Coordinates of all heavy atoms in Angstrom, one line a residue:
L1 N 91.5 89.0 94.3 CA 91.4 89.4 95.7 C 91.4 91.0 95.8 O 90.8 91.5 96.7 CB 92.6 88.9 96.5 CG 92.7 89.2 98.0 CD1 91.5 88.7 98.8 CD2 94.0 88.7 98.6
F2 N 92.1 91.6 94.9 CA 92.2 93.1 95.0 C 91.3 93.8 93.9 O 91.5 94.9 93.6 CB 93.7 93.5 94.8 CG 94.6 93.0 95.9 CD1 95.3 91.9 95.8 CD2 94.6 93.7 97.1 CE1 96.1 91.4 96.8 CE2 95.4 93.2 98.2 CZ 96.1 92.1 98.0
G3 N 90.4 93.0 93.4 CA 89.4 93.6 92.5 C 89.8 93.9 91.1 O 89.2 94.7 90.4
G4 N 90.9 93.2 90.7 CA 91.4 93.4 89.4 C 90.6 92.7 88.3 O 89.7 91.9 88.6
D5 N 90.9 93.0 87.0 CA 90.2 92.3 85.9 C 90.9 91.0 85.7 O 92.1 90.9 85.3 CB 90.4 93.3 84.7 CG 89.6 92.7 83.5 OD1 89.2 91.5 83.5 OD2 89.5 93.4 82.4
I6 N 90.2 89.9 85.8 CA 90.7 88.6 85.7 C 91.3 88.4 84.3 O 92.4 87.7 84.1 CB 89.6 87.5 85.9 CG1 89.1 87.6 87.3 CG2 90.2 86.1 85.7 CD1 90.1 87.4 88.4
E7 N 90.7 88.9 83.3 CA 91.2 88.8 81.9 C 92.7 89.3 81.8 O 93.5 88.8 81.0 CB 90.3 89.5 80.9 CG 89.0 88.8 80.7 CD 89.2 87.4 80.1 OE1 90.1 87.2 79.2 OE2 88.4 86.4 80.5
E8 N 93.0 90.4 82.5 CA 94.3 90.9 82.5 C 95.3 90.0 83.1 O 96.6 90.2 82.9 CB 94.3 92.3 83.1 CG 93.5 93.3 82.3 CD 93.6 94.7 82.9 OE1 94.4 94.9 83.8 OE2 92.9 95.6 82.4
A9 N 94.9 89.1 83.9 CA 95.8 88.2 84.7 C 96.0 86.9 83.9 O 96.8 86.1 84.3 CB 95.3 87.9 86.1
I10 N 95.2 86.7 82.8 CA 95.3 85.4 82.1 C 96.7 85.2 81.5 O 97.3 84.1 81.6 CB 94.3 85.3 81.0 CG1 92.9 85.2 81.6 CG2 94.6 84.2 80.0 CD1 92.6 83.9 82.3
D11 N 97.3 86.2 80.9 CA 98.6 86.1 80.3 C 99.7 85.7 81.3 O 100.5 84.7 81.1 CB 99.0 87.3 79.5 CG 98.3 87.4 78.2 OD1 97.9 86.4 77.6 OD2 98.0 88.5 77.7
P12 N 99.8 86.4 82.4 CA 100.8 86.0 83.4 C 100.5 84.6 84.0 O 101.4 83.8 84.4 CB 100.8 87.1 84.5 CG 99.5 87.8 84.3 CD 99.2 87.7 82.8
A13 N 99.2 84.2 84.1 CA 98.8 82.9 84.6 C 99.3 81.8 83.6 O 99.8 80.8 84.0 CB 97.3 82.8 84.7
L14 N 99.2 82.1 82.3 CA 99.7 81.2 81.3 C 101.2 81.1 81.4 O 101.8 80.0 81.3 CB 99.3 81.6 79.9 CG 97.8 81.5 79.5 CD1 97.5 82.3 78.3 CD2 97.5 80.0 79.2
A15 N 101.8 82.2 81.7 CA 103.3 82.2 81.8 C 103.7 81.3 83.0 O 104.7 80.5 82.9 CB 103.8 83.6 82.0
L16 N 103.0 81.4 84.1 CA 103.4 80.6 85.3 C 103.2 79.1 85.0 O 104.0 78.3 85.5 CB 102.6 81.1 86.5 CG 103.3 82.1 87.4 CD1 104.4 81.4 88.2 CD2 103.8 83.3 86.7
E17 N 102.1 78.8 84.3 CA 101.8 77.4 84.0 C 102.9 76.8 83.1 O 103.4 75.7 83.3 CB 100.4 77.2 83.4 CG 100.1 75.7 83.1 CD 99.9 74.9 84.3 OE1 100.0 75.3 85.5 OE2 99.6 73.7 84.1
L18 N 103.3 77.6 82.1 CA 104.3 77.1 81.2 C 105.7 77.0 81.9 O 106.4 76.0 81.7 CB 104.5 78.0 80.0 CG 103.3 78.1 79.0 CD1 103.5 79.1 77.9 CD2 103.1 76.7 78.4
F19 N 106.0 78.0 82.7 CA 107.3 77.9 83.5 C 107.3 76.7 84.4 O 108.3 75.9 84.5 CB 107.5 79.2 84.3 CG 108.7 79.1 85.2 CD1 109.9 79.2 84.6 CD2 108.6 78.8 86.5 CE1 111.1 79.2 85.4 CE2 109.7 78.8 87.4 CZ 110.9 78.9 86.8
H20 N 106.2 76.4 85.1 CA 106.1 75.3 86.0 C 106.3 74.0 85.2 O 107.1 73.1 85.7 CB 104.7 75.3 86.7 CG 104.5 74.1 87.5 ND1 105.3 73.7 88.6 CD2 103.5 73.2 87.5 CE1 104.8 72.6 89.1 NE2 103.7 72.2 88.5
N21 N 105.7 73.8 84.1 CA 105.8 72.6 83.3 C 107.2 72.5 82.7 O 107.7 71.4 82.6 CB 104.7 72.5 82.3 CG 103.4 72.0 82.8 OD1 103.1 70.9 83.0 ND2 102.5 73.0 83.2
F22 N 107.8 73.6 82.4 CA 109.2 73.6 82.0 C 110.1 73.0 83.1 O 111.0 72.1 82.8 CB 109.6 75.0 81.6 CG 111.1 75.3 81.9 CD1 112.1 74.8 81.1 CD2 111.4 76.2 83.0 CE1 113.4 75.2 81.4 CE2 112.7 76.5 83.2 CZ 113.7 76.0 82.4
T23 N 109.9 73.4 84.3 CA 110.7 72.9 85.4 C 110.4 71.4 85.6 O 111.3 70.7 86.0 CB 110.4 73.7 86.7 OG1 109.1 73.5 87.2 CG2 110.7 75.2 86.6
L24 N 109.2 71.0 85.5 CA 108.8 69.6 85.7 C 109.6 68.7 84.6 O 110.1 67.6 85.0 CB 107.3 69.4 85.5 CG 106.4 70.0 86.6 CD1 105.0 69.6 86.4 CD2 106.9 69.7 88.0
I25 N 109.6 69.1 83.4 CA 110.3 68.3 82.4 C 111.7 68.2 82.7 O 112.3 67.0 82.7 CB 110.1 69.0 81.0 CG1 108.7 69.0 80.5 CG2 111.1 68.4 80.0 CD1 108.4 69.7 79.2
H26 N 112.4 69.3 83.1 CA 113.8 69.2 83.4 C 114.1 68.5 84.7 O 115.0 67.7 84.8 CB 114.4 70.6 83.4 CG 114.6 71.2 82.0 ND1 115.5 72.2 81.7 CD2 113.9 70.9 80.9 CE1 115.4 72.5 80.5 NE2 114.5 71.7 79.9
D27 N 113.2 68.7 85.7 CA 113.4 68.0 87.0 C 113.3 66.5 86.8 O 114.0 65.7 87.4 CB 112.3 68.4 88.0 CG 112.6 69.8 88.6 OD1 113.6 70.4 88.2 OD2 111.8 70.3 89.4
D28 N 112.3 66.0 86.0 CA 112.1 64.6 85.7 C 113.3 64.0 85.1 O 113.7 62.8 85.3 CB 110.8 64.4 84.9 CG 109.6 64.6 85.7 OD1 109.6 64.5 86.9 OD2 108.5 64.8 85.1
I29 N 114.0 64.7 84.2 CA 115.2 64.2 83.6 C 116.3 64.1 84.6 O 116.9 63.0 84.7 CB 115.7 65.2 82.5 CG1 114.7 65.2 81.3 CG2 117.1 64.8 81.9 CD1 114.9 66.3 80.3
M30 N 116.5 65.1 85.4 CA 117.5 65.0 86.5 C 117.3 64.0 87.5 O 118.2 63.3 88.0 CB 117.7 66.4 87.1 CG 118.3 67.4 86.2 SD 118.5 69.1 87.0 CE 116.9 69.8 86.6
D31 N 116.0 63.7 87.8 CA 115.6 62.7 88.8 C 115.4 61.3 88.2 O 115.2 60.4 89.0 CB 114.3 63.1 89.5 CG 114.4 64.4 90.4 OD1 115.6 64.7 90.7 OD2 113.4 65.0 90.8
E32 N 115.5 61.3 86.9 CA 115.3 60.0 86.2 C 113.9 59.4 86.6 O 113.7 58.2 86.7 CB 116.4 59.0 86.5 CG 117.8 59.5 86.0 CD 118.9 58.5 86.3 OE1 118.6 57.4 86.9 OE2 120.0 58.7 86.0
A33 N 112.9 60.3 86.7 CA 111.6 59.9 87.1 C 110.8 59.3 85.9 O 110.8 59.8 84.8 CB 110.8 61.1 87.6
P34 N 110.2 58.1 86.1 CA 109.5 57.5 85.0 C 108.0 57.9 84.8 O 107.5 57.8 83.7 CB 109.5 56.0 85.4 CG 109.5 56.0 86.9 CD 110.2 57.3 87.3
I35 N 107.4 58.5 85.9 CA 106.0 58.8 85.8 C 105.7 60.2 86.3 O 106.3 60.7 87.2 CB 105.2 57.8 86.7 CG1 105.4 56.4 86.2 CG2 103.7 58.2 86.7 CD1 104.8 55.3 87.2
R36 N 104.8 60.9 85.6 CA 104.4 62.2 85.9 C 102.9 62.3 85.7 O 102.4 62.0 84.6 CB 105.1 63.3 85.1 CG 104.6 64.7 85.2 CD 104.8 65.3 86.6 NE 106.2 65.5 86.9 CZ 106.6 66.0 88.1 NH1 105.7 66.4 89.0 NH2 107.9 66.1 88.3
R37 N 102.1 62.6 86.7 CA 100.6 62.7 86.6 C 100.0 61.4 86.0 O 99.1 61.4 85.3 CB 100.2 63.9 85.7 CG 100.6 65.2 86.4 CD 100.4 66.4 85.4 NE 100.8 67.6 86.0 CZ 101.2 68.7 85.3 NH1 101.2 68.7 84.0 NH2 101.5 69.8 86.0
G38 N 100.6 60.3 86.5 CA 100.1 59.0 86.1 C 100.5 58.5 84.7 O 100.1 57.4 84.3
Q39 N 101.3 59.3 84.0 CA 101.7 58.9 82.6 C 103.2 59.0 82.5 O 103.9 59.6 83.4 CB 101.1 59.9 81.6 CG 99.5 59.9 81.6 CD 99.0 58.5 81.2 OE1 99.5 57.9 80.3 NE2 97.8 58.1 81.8
P40 N 103.8 58.4 81.5 CA 105.2 58.5 81.3 C 105.7 59.9 81.2 O 105.0 60.8 80.7 CB 105.5 57.8 79.9 CG 104.3 56.8 79.8 CD 103.1 57.5 80.4
T41 N 106.8 60.2 81.8 CA 107.4 61.5 81.8 C 107.8 61.8 80.4 O 107.9 60.9 79.5 CB 108.6 61.6 82.7 OG1 109.5 60.5 82.5 CG2 108.2 61.6 84.2
V42 N 108.0 63.1 80.1 CA 108.3 63.5 78.7 C 109.5 62.9 78.1 O 109.5 62.4 77.0 CB 108.4 65.1 78.6 CG1 108.9 65.5 77.2 CG2 107.1 65.7 78.9
H43 N 110.6 62.8 78.9 CA 111.8 62.1 78.4 C 111.7 60.6 78.2 O 112.4 60.1 77.4 CB 113.0 62.5 79.3 CG 113.0 61.8 80.6 ND1 112.2 62.3 81.7 CD2 113.6 60.7 81.1 CE1 112.4 61.5 82.7 NE2 113.2 60.6 82.4

C-alpha cells in the first residue's frame, strides 16, 4: 500500500504466519478441539 518492496516484507509475513499457527496449536489444546481446517488438530 505504501510502495514498499514486497520481498522485504516476506520475513515478517512468515513470522506472523508461524505465530498465528503457534496460537492455533495451543488454543486447540486448551479448547480440546478435535478438528482444525477439516483435519485432526495437532494434539
Side-chain angles (χ1 to χ4, degrees):
L1 180 62
F2 296 99
D5 183 351
I6 299 298
E7 287 299 322
E8 293 183 7
I10 290 293
D11 284 330
L14 287 164
L16 264 290
E17 181 67 2
L18 292 176
F19 175 76
H20 174 56
N21 281 276
F22 148 73
T23 66
L24 296 183
I25 291 174
H26 286 205
D27 285 1
D28 286 341
I29 293 169
M30 288 181 271
D31 292 343
E32 299 180 357
I35 299 171
R36 169 69 63 181
R37 295 169 182 160
Q39 299 295 324
T41 47
V42 172
H43 68 282

